[in-house]
Amino acid sequence: MKREMRKWVALLIIPFVLMMTFGTAPAQAKSTLGIHVDGAILIDADSGKILYEENADTPLGIASMSKMMTEYILFEAIKEGKISWDQEYKVTDYTYAISQDRRLSNVPLRKDGTYTIRELYEALAIYSANAATIAIAETIAGTETEFLKLMDAKAKEIGLVDYKFVNSTGLNNEYLQGMHPQGTGANDENVMPAKSVARLAFHLMKDYPEVLETTKINSKIFREGTTDAIKMDNWNFMLPGFVYEYEGVDGLKTGTTDFAGHCFTGTAKRGDKRVIAVVMKAVDANGVGSYKARFDATRALFDYGFSQFSDEELLPAGYQFEEQKTLPVHKGKEKTVAIEVKEPIKAMIKSNEKDLYEPQLVLDESLLKDGALEAPIKKGTVVGQVKLVKKEGEDYGFIDSKDLGMDVVVTDDVEKAGWFSLMMSAIGDFFAGIWESATGFIKGLFK
């Protein structure tokens, strides 16, 4: 009997011993908004103000959200005249082979076919067509390998961090039939933190807002009227007319792979408010990834942004800092020049928190010598930025505050003084220095 009891006690103790020895599996961090994601972020699309973030700095798989970078580079190439919308692309062995893989999102390309850049772009933006994306990369850079260099350069230029691009599409390289870009692994995949994904989307929409004219299309026929016609339904099921429709949604890019899970960069506008949400590896309450899970998580972020935040003017144009309304000027006809905020500073903030923000002046030290500007100076010269600091409570800051009306500028032209004035000023400074030294010496004698 005693032996039997010892046996049962031992069996009861074993789980506790194992728990103490090896620990327990880490539980998923509890989300403030009740969403189930590996990473998420919500930003004001106009100011870049971060409204919410959750594990937003951890690099994760981004799948076809990668195509936003391809879109950015495409729009830039069109703007610079390097390629045109009507330019025709001749199908290569690479793009033909990928386009025939029905496991992937694709429009089938004819081996001997030619397609305009506009056709390929619409297939990319609406249907996330992978071969069409590679075709655009080849058109711009010659090869996808060379296109990766453009992706990396643009990522650095707009300030993305902790990213890795191994192809233009976001597919795992294993699906590229051994033709993946040189220098990348056979099973590599693109990664980036949610914060960098949001920054990419933010710059894409700021610099090329016309992207939304295509991403808002819910369905279109590719090559309508030909034997190659195929219906392209947008993978963004939050668009009008789709099952997860959400008022105001008009973009931007979905993404799904085994590694990345179900991801989405979405944007919606209501009235004067526009927000951008990024969700990465979304799952339901049971831990199962699905289209519904990613759109449910996005809906929760959108609801939070539109219900809890209002667009407020935090500083008017012409605002001057009490502690520093002017900057000294070297070699100028004027000894000082006034500085002010260039444009009104607006941002989406919680409706009752406007008074909690205070502006701080951050001068560009590279423009100053001994704390002063050097003449000549042109009116409107940017001499610094405004940093908005919240006095109390949590604040996530801005995704990117550059070139968004947060500049501090000089209010007037300051001409360089003539040689005689400069000479007299130098003489005055010389004697002032002597007088200062002499008075200091005399004071020292009588201490």
Side-chain angles (χ1 to χ4, degrees):
M1 183 69 179
K2 289 182 179 179
R3 181 182 296 175
E4 193 70 20
M5 184 167 289
R6 283 198 299 270
K7 177 183 175 182
W8 283 109
V9 170
L11 288 173
L12 289 170
I13 290 175
I14 285 171
F16 293 100
V17 172
L18 291 173
M19 193 179 296
M20 294 297 292
T21 305
F22 298 106
T24 57
Q28 187 180 42
K30 185 173 176 61
S31 167
T32 305
L33 299 184
I35 59 178
H36 305 278
V37 295
D38 277 8
I41 192 169
L42 177 71
I43 68 170
D44 172 9
D46 293 319
S47 71
K49 187 81 176 64
I50 300 173
L51 311 180
Y52 178 85
E53 63 177 56
E54 186 174 318
N55 196 32
D57 294 307
T58 300
L60 300 166
I62 56 174
S64 283
M65 296 192 299
S66 310
K67 293 182 173 78
M68 291 189 292
M69 177 59 83
T70 303
E71 288 174 317
Y72 191 104
I73 294 171
L74 169 62
F75 279 114
E76 186 173 66
I78 295 286
K79 180 181 178 181
E80 294 175 354
K82 294 178 180 177
I83 62 173
S84 68
W85 290 117
D86 294 332
Q87 183 173 331
E88 293 195 333
Y89 166 80
K90 184 170 174 48
V91 175
T92 63
D93 290 342
Y94 181 20
T95 52
Y96 173 74
I98 300 303
S99 76
Q100 302 306 304
D101 190 341
R102 302 309 293 166
R103 297 172 300 170
L104 310 177
S105 182
N106 268 315
V107 291
L109 303 178
R110 287 184 175 272
K111 197 165 191 175
D112 59 349
T114 57
Y115 300 82
T116 67
I117 296 301
R118 187 175 295 281
E119 286 178 310
L120 296 171
Y121 162 64
E122 288 177 345
L124 179 166
I126 299 169
Y127 202 47
S128 199
N130 291 293
T133 303
I134 298 168
I136 289 171
E138 289 182 337
T139 301
I140 295 172
T143 66
E144 192 177 24
T145 298
E146 289 301 308
F147 190 75
L148 283 187
K149 296 177 183 178
L150 300 182
M151 296 177 80
D152 285 332
K154 184 55 63 178
K156 289 183 176 68
E157 181 184 321
I158 63 179
L160 306 189
V161 297
D162 297 330
Y163 62 88
K164 179 178 75 171
F165 290 117
V166 298
N167 57 53
S168 61
T169 61
L171 288 170
N172 190 291
N173 275 352
E174 68 172 317
Y175 288 102
L176 300 183
Q177 303 182 32
M179 294 178 280
H180 53 273
Q182 295 174 17
T184 66
N187 299 105
D188 282 355
E189 198 162 318
N190 296 345
V191 298
M192 194 184 295
K195 191 172 287 184
S196 285
V197 176
R199 190 175 181 120
L200 171 58
F202 176 72
H203 280 278
L204 174 61
M205 290 172 56
K206 277 287 180 184
D207 296 341
Y208 303 104
E210 60 267 34
V211 68
L212 297 177
E213 293 302 311
T214 307
T215 61
K216 71 181 182 182
I217 298 172
N218 55 10
S219 294
K220 186 165 186 175
I221 304 298
F222 179 74
R223 292 226 144 176
E224 187 170 12
T226 73
T227 56
D228 295 330
I230 181 174
K231 185 182 181 186
M232 301 185 296
D233 284 332
N234 202 313
W235 292 103
N236 178 2
F237 298 159
M238 298 188 85
L239 287 170
F242 284 147
V243 62
Y244 303 116
E245 177 179 350
Y246 187 93
E247 181 188 348
V249 168
D250 52 4
L252 192 57
K253 193 69 200 73
T254 58
T256 313
T257 66
D258 290 342
F259 172 67
H262 291 78
C263 307
F264 184 41
T265 299
T267 182
K269 184 176 183 180
R270 290 186 177 178
D272 293 331
K273 298 181 189 178
R274 177 180 284 281
V275 295
I276 298 170
V278 178
V279 298
M280 305 180 74
K281 208 160 195 175
V283 298
D284 61 21
N286 297 315
V288 179
S290 65
Y291 298 135
K292 183 178 186 300
R294 73 178 170 201
F295 296 128
D296 282 349
T298 304
R299 179 181 297 274
L301 289 169
F302 284 162
D303 285 347
Y304 177 67
F306 288 125
S307 66
Q308 298 297 314
F309 294 82
S310 58
D311 200 19
E312 300 282 353
E313 183 178 293
L314 301 177
L315 287 181
Y319 175 87
Q320 290 189 300
F321 293 86
E322 286 296 329
E323 69 277 10
Q324 190 159 7
K325 294 184 177 182
T326 63
L327 283 175
V329 177
H330 283 317
K331 300 180 181 179
K333 287 187 175 180
E334 307 293 336
K335 295 296 183 183
T336 62
V337 64
I339 59 174
E340 66 181 23
V341 173
K342 181 180 179 182
E343 298 172 2
I345 296 179
K346 298 180 180 180
M348 284 179 69
I349 61 172
K350 285 196 173 180
S351 305
N352 60 347
E353 293 185 347
K354 180 177 180 180
D355 294 337
L356 294 181
Y357 287 86
E358 64 179 9
Q360 291 183 359
L361 173 62
V362 181
L363 292 172
D364 185 347
E365 296 296 334
S366 67
L367 300 177
L368 305 176
K369 183 178 180 181
D370 297 326
L373 297 168
E374 186 166 312
I377 304 165
K378 293 191 71 173
K379 179 181 179 179
T381 298
V382 177
V383 294
Q385 296 273 312
V386 177
K387 181 180 179 183
L388 289 170
V389 179
K390 196 175 182 184
K391 299 173 189 174
E392 58 185 69
E394 188 173 40
D395 182 65
Y396 299 115
F398 288 78
I399 201 78
D400 187 353
S401 61
K402 294 179 181 177
D403 304 321
L404 297 172
M406 301 188 77
D407 291 335
V408 176
V409 298
V410 298
T411 61
D412 295 292
D413 292 325
V414 179
E415 296 180 16
K416 190 171 183 176
W419 70 268
F420 182 76
S421 296
L422 290 174
M423 181 182 69
M424 294 303 294
S425 178
I427 292 172
D429 289 342
F430 174 74
F431 282 108
I434 291 177
W435 176 254
E436 187 175 324
S437 297
T439 54
F441 176 74
I442 293 169
K443 287 179 181 178
L445 291 177
F446 291 96
K447 275 187 177 179

